Amino acid sequence: MNGLSTILIGVGLFLVGGVISFAKQQMPKSLITLLAVGAAMCLVAGVLRLEVWN
């Protein structure tokens, strides 16, 4: 696991926490969706950058 993949996974998990928090606060659905898409992109990019796939 290199540094960039660790950072991307960490940011993705942080954004997932934001999605959960915003959902509990009943924020607008479009904002929650945008945050969820960003979280998913960070997590997928971090997982794909792991060095276990070579």
Side-chain angles (χ1 to χ4, degrees):
M1 186 182 286
N2 60 12
L4 185 58
S5 64
T6 304
I7 291 171
L8 285 170
I9 292 172
V11 169
L13 291 174
F14 178 77
L15 291 175
V16 167
V19 168
I20 294 168
S21 174
F22 281 15
K24 285 183 180 179
Q25 295 179 32
Q26 298 179 348
M27 297 291 253
K29 297 290 183 194
S30 59
L31 181 63
I32 296 172
T33 304
L34 182 65
L35 198 59
V37 167
M41 286 175 32
C42 281
L43 288 172
V44 168
V47 168
L48 289 177
R49 285 197 52 89
L50 289 175
E51 295 174 356
V52 297
W53 308 115
N54 292 335

